[in-house]
Amino acid sequence: MLKTIQAGSLRPEHVDQTVTLAGWVDRRRDHGNLIFIDLRDSAGISQIVFDQVLDPSIHQSASLLRSEWVIQVIGKVRKRPDGTINTDLKTGQIEVIASSLTILNESKTPPFYINKDEETDELLRMKYRYLDLRKPKMRSIVNIRHKAVKFIRDFLTDKGFLEIETPILIKSTPEGARDYLVPSRLYPGKFYSLPQSPQQLKQLLMSAGFEKYFQIARCFRDEDPRADRQPEFTQLDLEMSFVESNDILTLIEKLYYDLVKSITPDKKIKFPFPRISYHDAIEKYGTDKPDLRFDIEMSNVVDWAKKTDINILKTIVSNKGIVKSLNAPGCGDFTRGQISELEELVKTSGGKGLMWIAISKQSKSIQDLTIEDIKSPVSKILKLNEIQEIASIVSSEPGDLILIVAGPEKIVNQSLSLIRDHLGTHLGLKNPNTFEFAFITDFPLFEWKEEEKRWDAAHHPFTMPIKEHLGIVDKNPEKVIAHCYDLVCNGLECGSGSIRIHTRELQEKVFAVLGYTKEEVASRFDQLLTAFEYGTPPHGGIATGIERLVMLLAGTDNIRDVVAFPKTQSFIDPLFEAPDHVSSEQLDELHIKVNPTKI
Ligand code: ASP
């Protein structure tokens, strides 16, 4: 090794030792006779002193050093003189008096500061990712990711799980996205697909009798770019045989609780995680990934709406629409502009409008309200007792704002859930130091794709319907509830899973509802269906996102922060400039012709 110890590991106990250090010049401070170098390595920073009085030639060499040069220093560790101790640094009580300096490599001036936490253009950071990763914040996130994955591996190994790798060159495994395809050189015109997840493979491992499998699995999904997405990502992929939903949930709950406690002991996390049915989540929060750090809930007020004289509400209800309401605590004094922001959220969800009733702070109580206490575009149409009634349904107090949205169910839920989220931020209710995990359970098995006029799998096609609904899978697909669950935290989906179908007959029935032809089923799923005929046990599992987990632990909402070499929001790699053209020879070998008009 070119060093005897890490610069960042030096402590008072090393005083009087002669050490060899190697790393990067983080900062140079020239004080005339004394030059100070902050020497940085992967463990941290130590201060090196070059003293002209003690060694003029080494002092002269140190004057040449610039940021990010790579150097090796030999020197003696000493206690820092009184008054110069830096309590912000773990090495702040000591310094090293240099007796030898070797320049191992020079560095151009970096395109951005590494030793300052400055707002830097993200594209530039990604183009020079190796420099960006030198920053302490980025190093610490990489560290957290390593710790989290190690924790998972240790935890599951202790519980008897085997980590098994599955292929990257495989055939289509549907998870609702497009496949990334890899052309085969050896078999002209044929392609491998990169796995959207190892779903079928882990089920085959259950058929193979492994009973407890996991993998830190790379997944590839060719979806449209979105800010919080990467085309390739990592999952904790897990499967168990002879289990029921509760077994998987209990295991994941303990894993996540222990992991969070171990890696971020200062964060608040509750145990056990609440379990909320999909139906209740949509009813109360309008979404299947509610942020439970705050308890604003919505209520169905169809019955109330029907009694009022607001015709538009009545028309919506008679057209099978719904009316829901929530209370915005303390928002009764919202300005016109603030209300417009809320209205905008309804519009972006496809809704027509927002009805609001502001209750004055001056009013004594809801029972004592007078019409003067109310500000609302519908105050002339609503009767006082109707306002009191809705106020009591949504638990409003004086000073609150009642919000009402009416329309098609999906639009109403989405609008109000966006409003709820907005209020959570506005009212400062999203405590960044709290993790509110929950399981959302009992999802529908299918969802209707209106544009394509067909049923799609709500989770994926391998999900087991509940026992009571086995008889109606093909007769009333809209009613079928699945043994399916999501792990959510602070408004984010962290993972999903299910108990799986393990018989050919039922699996074929589900494929038929999904509209797969016999040929499609044979070409894509024959391996799984055949395995079902050879004693595949009942099984189930889950996959949780590693990036999401690390984002929570590291307190960042940028997915690119938690991936060492991420793609941009438009799925470009600015460092390697991928994707890129390839040579015509490579294309010829792959028997591929690119249509020049499409480039
Ligand atoms: N394969 C599923 C996914 O990637 C997870 C699972 O059902 O285990 O979402």
Side-chain angles (χ1 to χ4, degrees):
M1 287 292 286
L2 301 184
K3 49 168 100 184
T4 55
I5 189 165
Q6 290 287 71
S9 314
L10 289 179
R11 297 287 182 273
E13 75 232 36
H14 298 111
V15 166
D16 288 338
Q17 288 182 18
T18 297
V19 294
T20 307
L21 307 174
W24 290 261
V25 174
D26 193 66
R27 206 180 291 261
R28 183 178 63 97
R29 292 185 305 280
D30 201 331
H31 289 199
N33 276 350
L34 295 176
I35 292 175
F36 296 98
I37 296 289
D38 282 347
L39 181 64
R40 186 187 71 236
D41 61 18
S42 60
I45 283 178
S46 260
Q47 175 166 290
I48 318 294
V49 186
F50 296 87
D51 188 335
Q52 191 177 31
V53 178
L54 292 178
D55 189 338
S57 98
I58 200 175
H59 178 270
Q60 166 61 21
S61 312
S63 69
L64 304 173
L65 296 178
R66 294 290 177 272
S67 283
E68 300 312 310
W69 286 27
V70 187
I71 58 171
Q72 183 191 44
V73 172
I74 303 177
K76 201 162 184 183
V77 184
R78 75 171 186 200
K79 249 188 127 187
R80 287 197 195 184
D82 285 348
T84 63
I85 288 177
N86 181 351
T87 45
D88 291 341
L89 275 183
K90 287 200 174 126
T91 57
Q93 293 189 42
I94 49 93
E95 59 192 10
V96 175
I97 300 292
S99 53
S100 153
L101 169 67
T102 311
I103 293 167
L104 300 174
N105 206 352
E106 298 183 5
S107 168
K108 287 186 178 175
T109 305
F112 46 80
Y113 286 109
I114 288 161
N115 55 16
K116 274 193 217 161
D117 213 8
E118 260 191 351
E119 199 55 43
T120 308
D121 174 53
E122 205 182 11
L123 204 60
L124 192 66
R125 284 175 55 198
M126 288 171 66
K127 184 162 175 49
Y128 293 92
R129 191 61 166 179
Y130 44 91
L131 297 179
D132 194 40
L133 289 170
R134 286 184 194 170
K135 292 183 181 169
K137 176 184 160 207
M138 297 306 288
R139 303 197 66 78
S140 107
I141 297 180
V142 172
N143 214 294
I144 290 175
R145 183 166 178 147
H146 164 78
K147 280 192 194 155
V149 170
K150 179 171 184 322
F151 191 97
I152 291 170
R153 288 202 156 105
D154 292 347
F155 181 96
L156 293 173
T157 305
D158 277 357
K159 301 233 170 325
F161 281 78
L162 281 193
E163 181 169 13
I164 307 176
E165 284 175 53
T166 52
I168 295 295
L169 294 177
I170 186 75
K171 217 168 156 176
S172 180
T173 45
E175 294 285 356
R178 263 183 225 96
D179 292 323
Y180 278 105
L181 300 175
V182 182
S184 159
R185 179 179 59 82
L186 297 177
Y187 301 96
K190 293 195 170 178
F191 294 81
Y192 298 99
S193 305
L194 304 185
Q196 291 184 34
S197 84
Q199 184 61 38
Q200 290 187 68
L201 293 150
K202 65 176 170 177
Q203 293 192 238
L204 292 171
L205 287 169
M206 294 305 104
S207 189
F210 284 101
E211 295 194 35
K212 288 179 175 184
Y213 144 94
F214 84 99
Q215 179 179 196
I216 303 299
R218 308 304 312 277
C219 303
F220 307 85
R221 296 185 190 175
D222 188 359
E223 293 177 283
D224 290 334
R226 231 176 45 192
D228 60 350
R229 222 181 234 164
Q230 287 282 294
E232 54 182 309
F233 58 92
T234 310
Q235 286 183 341
L236 158 62
D237 193 47
L238 181 146
E239 199 75 6
M240 294 171 84
S241 293
F242 307 110
V243 286
E244 295 169 322
S245 300
N246 183 45
D247 301 303
I248 305 283
L249 301 192
T250 311
L251 175 87
I252 290 295
E253 177 176 63
K254 180 88 175 100
L255 167 63
Y256 268 65
Y257 179 80
D258 287 0
L259 185 150
V260 166
K261 276 279 163 221
S262 141
I263 297 178
T264 50
D266 298 340
K267 304 253 182 188
K268 270 203 230 124
I269 174 173
K270 277 194 207 125
F271 189 92
F273 302 166
R275 296 179 188 188
I276 307 169
S277 72
Y278 170 81
H279 173 268
D280 288 357
I282 298 290
E283 276 294 297
K284 285 188 189 163
Y285 311 107
T287 170
D288 55 8
K289 25 184 176 302
D291 190 335
L292 300 173
R293 284 173 295 179
F294 53 98
D295 56 8
I296 297 176
E297 289 183 9
M298 44 195 82
S299 305
N300 188 319
V301 292
V302 165
D303 291 341
W304 171 84
K306 282 199 283 199
K307 286 188 284 188
T308 67
D309 289 332
I310 307 178
N311 289 332
I312 175 79
L313 295 185
K314 291 184 172 169
T315 318
I316 288 172
V317 174
S318 60
N319 286 333
K320 295 215 170 69
I322 61 163
V323 189
K324 282 176 95 170
S325 174
L326 62 73
N327 180 54
C331 301
D333 55 0
F334 261 21
T335 60
R336 194 52 241 159
Q338 285 174 309
I339 290 185
S340 302
E341 278 176 24
L342 303 181
E343 283 166 345
E344 220 24 65
L345 295 173
V346 179
K347 286 203 189 113
T348 48
S349 310
K352 293 257 166 7
L354 173 72
M355 218 167 258
W356 54 271
I357 304 168
I359 306 170
S360 161
K361 244 201 295 232
Q362 312 309 335
S363 54
K364 271 216 292 302
S365 71
I366 297 299
Q367 293 74 38
D368 302 319
L369 280 186
T370 66
I371 208 72
E372 283 73 51
D373 295 323
I374 303 299
K375 228 167 70 193
S376 165
V378 283
S379 58
K380 301 234 153 55
I381 313 177
L382 284 175
K383 300 184 192 79
L384 195 56
N385 68 323
E386 288 166 349
I387 295 176
Q388 283 167 319
E389 188 182 340
I390 191 165
S392 99
I393 297 173
V394 298
S395 310
S396 300
E397 306 272 341
D400 290 356
L401 177 69
I402 302 173
L403 300 164
I404 305 160
V405 180
E409 196 172 335
K410 240 188 166 152
I411 291 176
V412 171
N413 282 322
Q414 191 183 327
S415 309
L416 279 176
S417 103
L418 288 180
I419 288 179
R420 181 181 183 274
D421 189 66
H422 177 92
L423 292 172
T425 308
H426 174 82
L427 298 169
L429 301 173
K430 297 182 176 176
N431 184 343
N433 295 316
T434 300
F435 292 143
E436 288 281 356
F437 280 97
F439 289 113
I440 310 298
T441 62
D442 307 317
F443 281 81
L445 186 62
F446 301 109
E447 63 190 20
W448 180 247
K449 291 263 160 206
E450 186 51 38
E451 320 79 61
E452 300 152 48
K453 300 267 178 274
R454 66 173 184 89
W455 289 107
D456 199 5
H459 180 41
H460 54 51
F462 314 109
T463 306
M464 177 75 104
I466 59 168
K467 210 164 61 222
E468 296 78 357
H469 291 173
L470 283 176
I472 57 163
V473 168
D474 43 359
K475 294 184 197 84
N476 299 101
E478 73 287 355
K479 292 214 175 104
V480 182
I481 300 292
H483 280 297
C484 183
Y485 31 80
D486 274 3
L487 174 67
V488 299
C489 180
N490 295 2
L492 294 172
E493 185 191 316
C494 299
S496 49
S498 54
I499 298 299
R500 327 297 183 184
I501 296 168
H502 63 276
T503 62
R504 178 169 201 130
E505 193 200 345
L506 181 56
Q507 188 65 75
E508 282 181 338
K509 203 184 258 183
V510 169
F511 285 147
V513 175
L514 295 173
Y516 291 142
T517 61
K518 281 216 157 53
E519 294 70 35
E520 249 178 301
V521 170
S523 108
R524 295 175 68 183
F525 307 113
D526 189 49
Q527 62 289 338
L528 194 64
L529 292 171
T530 307
F532 288 172
E533 294 175 312
Y534 286 94
T536 296
H539 60 282
I542 194 165
T544 61
I546 297 295
E547 283 82 10
R548 273 282 150 80
L549 171 64
V550 181
M551 283 165 73
L552 284 171
L553 296 170
T556 173
D557 51 15
N558 182 348
I559 188 168
R560 293 171 299 283
D561 279 352
V562 301
V563 179
F565 295 101
K567 309 272 186 292
T568 60
Q569 291 196 37
S570 40
F571 291 4
I572 302 285
D573 176 345
L575 176 57
F576 282 81
E577 298 191 347
D580 203 358
H581 299 291
V582 295
S583 70
S584 52
E585 289 77 17
Q586 280 174 299
L587 287 176
D588 284 348
E589 272 179 348
L590 295 169
H591 325 283
I592 284 183
K593 250 203 174 69
V594 174
N595 182 346
T597 59
K598 293 266 160 86
I599 300 181

mmCIF file of all heavy atoms in Angstrom, residues 174-175 196-200 202 219 221 233 235-239 459-460 463 493 495-498 500 540-544, ligand 1:
data_model
loop_
_atom_site.group_PDB
_atom_site.id
_atom_site.type_symbol
_atom_site.label_atom_id
_atom_site.label_comp_id
_atom_site.label_asym_id
_atom_site.label_seq_id
_atom_site.Cartn_x
_atom_site.Cartn_y
_atom_site.Cartn_z
ATOM 1 N N PRO A 174 -43.253 -9.726 -18.024
ATOM 2 C CA PRO A 174 -44.037 -8.479 -18.000
ATOM 3 C C PRO A 174 -44.207 -7.884 -16.612
ATOM 4 O O PRO A 174 -44.535 -8.579 -15.662
ATOM 5 C CB PRO A 174 -45.392 -8.934 -18.553
ATOM 6 C CG PRO A 174 -45.464 -10.389 -18.292
ATOM 7 C CD PRO A 174 -44.056 -10.912 -18.308
ATOM 8 N N GLU A 175 -43.930 -6.592 -16.501
ATOM 9 C CA GLU A 175 -44.242 -5.825 -15.282
ATOM 10 C C GLU A 175 -44.905 -4.521 -15.708
ATOM 11 O O GLU A 175 -44.793 -3.517 -15.030
ATOM 12 C CB GLU A 175 -42.983 -5.536 -14.481
ATOM 13 C CG GLU A 175 -42.297 -6.743 -13.879
ATOM 14 C CD GLU A 175 -43.006 -7.314 -12.657
ATOM 15 O OE1 GLU A 175 -44.000 -6.725 -12.216
ATOM 16 O OE2 GLU A 175 -42.543 -8.357 -12.174
ATOM 17 N N GLN A 196 -37.598 -7.252 -16.763
ATOM 18 C CA GLN A 196 -38.260 -6.142 -16.054
ATOM 19 C C GLN A 196 -38.228 -6.419 -14.562
ATOM 20 O O GLN A 196 -38.287 -5.512 -13.738
ATOM 21 C CB GLN A 196 -39.693 -5.992 -16.550
ATOM 22 C CG GLN A 196 -39.745 -5.478 -17.986
ATOM 23 C CD GLN A 196 -41.172 -5.240 -18.470
ATOM 24 O OE1 GLN A 196 -42.038 -4.849 -17.678
ATOM 25 N NE2 GLN A 196 -41.419 -5.460 -19.733
ATOM 26 N N SER A 197 -38.157 -7.696 -14.211
ATOM 27 C CA SER A 197 -37.910 -8.151 -12.842
ATOM 28 C C SER A 197 -37.661 -9.651 -12.981
ATOM 29 O O SER A 197 -37.986 -10.229 -14.015
ATOM 30 C CB SER A 197 -39.126 -7.906 -11.944
ATOM 31 O OG SER A 197 -40.042 -8.977 -12.101
ATOM 32 N N PRO A 198 -37.097 -10.293 -11.956
ATOM 33 C CA PRO A 198 -36.889 -11.742 -12.090
ATOM 34 C C PRO A 198 -38.141 -12.546 -11.723
ATOM 35 O O PRO A 198 -38.038 -13.672 -11.239
ATOM 36 C CB PRO A 198 -35.757 -12.036 -11.090
ATOM 37 C CG PRO A 198 -35.349 -10.721 -10.528
ATOM 38 C CD PRO A 198 -36.469 -9.764 -10.755
ATOM 39 N N GLN A 199 -39.324 -11.966 -11.940
ATOM 40 C CA GLN A 199 -40.560 -12.565 -11.433
ATOM 41 C C GLN A 199 -40.714 -14.056 -11.753
ATOM 42 O O GLN A 199 -40.859 -14.886 -10.860
ATOM 43 C CB GLN A 199 -41.765 -11.787 -11.956
ATOM 44 C CG GLN A 199 -43.098 -12.266 -11.415
ATOM 45 C CD GLN A 199 -43.199 -12.156 -9.912
ATOM 46 O OE1 GLN A 199 -42.710 -11.206 -9.328
ATOM 47 N NE2 GLN A 199 -43.786 -13.149 -9.278
ATOM 48 N N GLN A 200 -40.685 -14.401 -13.031
ATOM 49 C CA GLN A 200 -40.921 -15.812 -13.372
ATOM 50 C C GLN A 200 -39.779 -16.684 -12.853
ATOM 51 O O GLN A 200 -39.987 -17.827 -12.454
ATOM 52 C CB GLN A 200 -41.038 -15.986 -14.876
ATOM 53 C CG GLN A 200 -42.303 -15.386 -15.442
ATOM 54 C CD GLN A 200 -42.452 -15.748 -16.907
ATOM 55 O OE1 GLN A 200 -42.669 -16.909 -17.236
ATOM 56 N NE2 GLN A 200 -42.304 -14.756 -17.756
ATOM 57 N N LYS A 202 -37.984 -16.284 -10.130
ATOM 58 C CA LYS A 202 -38.063 -16.605 -8.697
ATOM 59 C C LYS A 202 -39.195 -17.600 -8.441
ATOM 60 O O LYS A 202 -39.098 -18.439 -7.548
ATOM 61 C CB LYS A 202 -38.171 -15.352 -7.827
ATOM 62 C CG LYS A 202 -39.398 -14.508 -7.977
ATOM 63 C CD LYS A 202 -39.340 -13.382 -6.942
ATOM 64 C CE LYS A 202 -40.380 -12.333 -7.146
ATOM 65 N NZ LYS A 202 -40.360 -11.299 -6.117
ATOM 66 N N CYS A 219 -33.108 -4.556 -12.512
ATOM 67 C CA CYS A 219 -34.302 -4.648 -13.349
ATOM 68 C C CYS A 219 -34.226 -3.563 -14.419
ATOM 69 O O CYS A 219 -33.654 -2.496 -14.181
ATOM 70 C CB CYS A 219 -35.551 -4.406 -12.509
ATOM 71 S SG CYS A 219 -35.695 -5.529 -11.137
ATOM 72 N N ARG A 221 -36.546 -1.495 -17.343
ATOM 73 C CA ARG A 221 -37.893 -1.240 -17.875
ATOM 74 C C ARG A 221 -37.829 -0.063 -18.838
ATOM 75 O O ARG A 221 -37.411 1.038 -18.451
ATOM 76 C CB ARG A 221 -38.890 -0.961 -16.732
ATOM 77 C CG ARG A 221 -39.050 -2.174 -15.854
ATOM 78 C CD ARG A 221 -40.092 -2.029 -14.769
ATOM 79 N NE ARG A 221 -39.973 -3.158 -13.851
ATOM 80 C CZ ARG A 221 -40.663 -3.318 -12.739
ATOM 81 N NH1 ARG A 221 -41.559 -2.430 -12.391
ATOM 82 N NH2 ARG A 221 -40.471 -4.383 -11.973
ATOM 83 N N PHE A 233 -32.801 -0.207 -12.503
ATOM 84 C CA PHE A 233 -32.849 0.039 -11.066
ATOM 85 C C PHE A 233 -32.657 -1.280 -10.327
ATOM 86 O O PHE A 233 -32.546 -2.348 -10.947
ATOM 87 C CB PHE A 233 -34.168 0.721 -10.677
ATOM 88 C CG PHE A 233 -35.380 -0.075 -11.072
ATOM 89 C CD1 PHE A 233 -35.958 -0.983 -10.199
ATOM 90 C CD2 PHE A 233 -35.922 0.058 -12.338
ATOM 91 C CE1 PHE A 233 -37.062 -1.734 -10.564
ATOM 92 C CE2 PHE A 233 -37.029 -0.685 -12.720
ATOM 93 C CZ PHE A 233 -37.602 -1.592 -11.839
ATOM 94 N N GLN A 235 -33.749 -3.921 -7.098
ATOM 95 C CA GLN A 235 -34.796 -4.316 -6.146
ATOM 96 C C GLN A 235 -34.247 -5.343 -5.173
ATOM 97 O O GLN A 235 -33.406 -6.157 -5.556
ATOM 98 C CB GLN A 235 -35.928 -5.032 -6.880
ATOM 99 C CG GLN A 235 -36.829 -4.174 -7.699
ATOM 100 C CD GLN A 235 -37.951 -4.988 -8.325
ATOM 101 O OE1 GLN A 235 -37.845 -6.211 -8.432
ATOM 102 N NE2 GLN A 235 -38.997 -4.325 -8.754
ATOM 103 N N LEU A 236 -34.773 -5.309 -3.963
ATOM 104 C CA LEU A 236 -34.665 -6.507 -3.144
ATOM 105 C C LEU A 236 -35.790 -7.403 -3.645
ATOM 106 O O LEU A 236 -36.966 -7.070 -3.479
ATOM 107 C CB LEU A 236 -34.871 -6.190 -1.663
ATOM 108 C CG LEU A 236 -35.307 -7.407 -0.837
ATOM 109 C CD1 LEU A 236 -34.243 -8.493 -0.855
ATOM 110 C CD2 LEU A 236 -35.650 -7.011 0.587
ATOM 111 N N ASP A 237 -35.422 -8.509 -4.276
ATOM 112 C CA ASP A 237 -36.422 -9.405 -4.846
ATOM 113 C C ASP A 237 -36.480 -10.628 -3.939
ATOM 114 O O ASP A 237 -35.428 -11.200 -3.619
ATOM 115 C CB ASP A 237 -35.979 -9.778 -6.262
ATOM 116 C CG ASP A 237 -37.094 -10.440 -7.035
ATOM 117 O OD1 ASP A 237 -38.205 -9.914 -7.002
ATOM 118 O OD2 ASP A 237 -36.843 -11.492 -7.664
ATOM 119 N N LEU A 238 -37.670 -11.007 -3.525
ATOM 120 C CA LEU A 238 -37.769 -12.041 -2.492
ATOM 121 C C LEU A 238 -38.945 -12.956 -2.778
ATOM 122 O O LEU A 238 -39.981 -12.506 -3.260
ATOM 123 C CB LEU A 238 -37.942 -11.298 -1.164
ATOM 124 C CG LEU A 238 -38.048 -12.059 0.128
ATOM 125 C CD1 LEU A 238 -37.400 -11.239 1.233
ATOM 126 C CD2 LEU A 238 -39.479 -12.347 0.517
ATOM 127 N N GLU A 239 -38.775 -14.220 -2.495
ATOM 128 C CA GLU A 239 -39.875 -15.173 -2.709
ATOM 129 C C GLU A 239 -39.778 -16.274 -1.659
ATOM 130 O O GLU A 239 -38.671 -16.686 -1.274
ATOM 131 C CB GLU A 239 -39.757 -15.761 -4.124
ATOM 132 C CG GLU A 239 -41.022 -16.397 -4.653
ATOM 133 C CD GLU A 239 -42.105 -15.397 -5.097
ATOM 134 O OE1 GLU A 239 -41.854 -14.188 -5.101
ATOM 135 O OE2 GLU A 239 -43.210 -15.853 -5.421
ATOM 136 N N HIS A 459 -51.399 -5.723 -10.629
ATOM 137 C CA HIS A 459 -50.016 -5.911 -10.170
ATOM 138 C C HIS A 459 -49.244 -6.576 -11.307
ATOM 139 O O HIS A 459 -48.576 -5.921 -12.072
ATOM 140 C CB HIS A 459 -50.030 -6.740 -8.887
ATOM 141 C CG HIS A 459 -48.672 -6.996 -8.308
ATOM 142 N ND1 HIS A 459 -47.689 -6.052 -8.251
ATOM 143 C CD2 HIS A 459 -48.149 -8.114 -7.756
ATOM 144 C CE1 HIS A 459 -46.597 -6.577 -7.683
ATOM 145 N NE2 HIS A 459 -46.860 -7.820 -7.385
ATOM 146 N N HIS A 460 -49.315 -7.857 -11.435
ATOM 147 C CA HIS A 460 -48.840 -8.568 -12.617
ATOM 148 C C HIS A 460 -49.658 -9.830 -12.779
ATOM 149 O O HIS A 460 -50.411 -10.206 -11.873
ATOM 150 C CB HIS A 460 -47.324 -8.818 -12.585
ATOM 151 C CG HIS A 460 -46.832 -9.521 -11.356
ATOM 152 N ND1 HIS A 460 -47.375 -10.690 -10.888
ATOM 153 C CD2 HIS A 460 -45.846 -9.202 -10.486
ATOM 154 C CE1 HIS A 460 -46.742 -11.056 -9.805
ATOM 155 N NE2 HIS A 460 -45.811 -10.168 -9.529
ATOM 156 N N THR A 463 -50.561 -12.953 -10.032
ATOM 157 C CA THR A 463 -51.106 -12.703 -8.693
ATOM 158 C C THR A 463 -52.336 -13.567 -8.406
ATOM 159 O O THR A 463 -53.230 -13.702 -9.237
ATOM 160 C CB THR A 463 -51.479 -11.208 -8.591
ATOM 161 O OG1 THR A 463 -50.330 -10.463 -8.933
ATOM 162 C CG2 THR A 463 -51.949 -10.832 -7.220
ATOM 163 N N GLU A 493 -44.295 4.769 -2.964
ATOM 164 C CA GLU A 493 -44.405 3.321 -3.004
ATOM 165 C C GLU A 493 -42.997 2.749 -2.876
ATOM 166 O O GLU A 493 -42.102 3.117 -3.623
ATOM 167 C CB GLU A 493 -45.037 2.902 -4.337
ATOM 168 C CG GLU A 493 -45.290 1.417 -4.411
ATOM 169 C CD GLU A 493 -45.663 0.954 -5.811
ATOM 170 O OE1 GLU A 493 -46.481 1.617 -6.471
ATOM 171 O OE2 GLU A 493 -45.105 -0.073 -6.235
ATOM 172 N N GLY A 495 -42.472 -0.754 -2.526
ATOM 173 C CA GLY A 495 -42.377 -2.131 -3.004
ATOM 174 C C GLY A 495 -43.750 -2.723 -3.168
ATOM 175 O O GLY A 495 -44.737 -2.183 -2.656
ATOM 176 N N SER A 496 -43.802 -3.827 -3.913
ATOM 177 C CA SER A 496 -45.076 -4.522 -3.986
ATOM 178 C C SER A 496 -44.853 -6.006 -4.195
ATOM 179 O O SER A 496 -43.791 -6.438 -4.640
ATOM 180 C CB SER A 496 -45.968 -3.955 -5.079
ATOM 181 O OG SER A 496 -45.256 -3.847 -6.265
ATOM 182 N N GLY A 497 -45.883 -6.752 -3.845
ATOM 183 C CA GLY A 497 -45.753 -8.197 -3.960
ATOM 184 C C GLY A 497 -47.109 -8.850 -3.869
ATOM 185 O O GLY A 497 -48.142 -8.178 -3.794
ATOM 186 N N SER A 498 -47.080 -10.171 -3.885
ATOM 187 C CA SER A 498 -48.351 -10.899 -3.864
ATOM 188 C C SER A 498 -48.115 -12.366 -3.566
ATOM 189 O O SER A 498 -46.987 -12.859 -3.645
ATOM 190 C CB SER A 498 -49.054 -10.764 -5.217
ATOM 191 O OG SER A 498 -48.211 -11.165 -6.267
ATOM 192 N N ARG A 500 -48.788 -15.909 -5.228
ATOM 193 C CA ARG A 500 -48.851 -16.200 -6.670
ATOM 194 C C ARG A 500 -49.797 -17.351 -6.973
ATOM 195 O O ARG A 500 -50.029 -18.232 -6.130
ATOM 196 C CB ARG A 500 -47.474 -16.595 -7.209
ATOM 197 C CG ARG A 500 -46.291 -15.937 -6.572
ATOM 198 C CD ARG A 500 -46.275 -14.444 -6.785
ATOM 199 N NE ARG A 500 -45.034 -13.882 -6.197
ATOM 200 C CZ ARG A 500 -44.750 -12.600 -6.153
ATOM 201 N NH1 ARG A 500 -45.616 -11.700 -6.601
ATOM 202 N NH2 ARG A 500 -43.623 -12.176 -5.637
ATOM 203 N N GLY A 540 -45.247 -17.051 -2.563
ATOM 204 C CA GLY A 540 -45.534 -15.623 -2.686
ATOM 205 C C GLY A 540 -44.282 -14.838 -2.378
ATOM 206 O O GLY A 540 -43.286 -15.398 -1.876
ATOM 207 N N GLY A 541 -44.307 -13.561 -2.648
ATOM 208 C CA GLY A 541 -43.098 -12.763 -2.409
ATOM 209 C C GLY A 541 -43.357 -11.293 -2.545
ATOM 210 O O GLY A 541 -44.500 -10.822 -2.535
ATOM 211 N N ILE A 542 -42.279 -10.582 -2.698
ATOM 212 C CA ILE A 542 -42.355 -9.117 -2.768
ATOM 213 C C ILE A 542 -41.071 -8.619 -3.413
ATOM 214 O O ILE A 542 -40.062 -9.344 -3.432
ATOM 215 C CB ILE A 542 -42.524 -8.511 -1.349
ATOM 216 C CG1 ILE A 542 -42.940 -7.040 -1.402
ATOM 217 C CG2 ILE A 542 -41.258 -8.683 -0.514
ATOM 218 C CD1 ILE A 542 -43.459 -6.478 -0.081
ATOM 219 N N ALA A 543 -41.103 -7.429 -3.953
ATOM 220 C CA ALA A 543 -39.869 -6.761 -4.373
ATOM 221 C C ALA A 543 -39.945 -5.326 -3.905
ATOM 222 O O ALA A 543 -40.974 -4.659 -4.086
ATOM 223 C CB ALA A 543 -39.720 -6.825 -5.885
ATOM 224 N N THR A 544 -38.886 -4.870 -3.264
ATOM 225 C CA THR A 544 -38.876 -3.486 -2.774
ATOM 226 C C THR A 544 -37.700 -2.748 -3.416
ATOM 227 O O THR A 544 -36.645 -3.329 -3.651
ATOM 228 C CB THR A 544 -38.756 -3.436 -1.231
ATOM 229 O OG1 THR A 544 -37.520 -4.044 -0.854
ATOM 230 C CG2 THR A 544 -39.905 -4.150 -0.554
HETATM 231 N N1 ASP B 1 -41.980 -8.687 -9.583
HETATM 232 C C1 ASP B 1 -42.746 -7.694 -8.910
HETATM 233 C C2 ASP B 1 -42.260 -6.302 -9.299
HETATM 234 O O1 ASP B 1 -41.148 -6.142 -9.778
HETATM 235 C C3 ASP B 1 -42.681 -7.796 -7.425
HETATM 236 C C4 ASP B 1 -43.246 -9.058 -6.906
HETATM 237 O O2 ASP B 1 -44.416 -9.336 -7.171
HETATM 238 O O3 ASP B 1 -42.535 -9.741 -6.169
HETATM 239 O O4 ASP B 1 -42.958 -5.339 -9.037
#
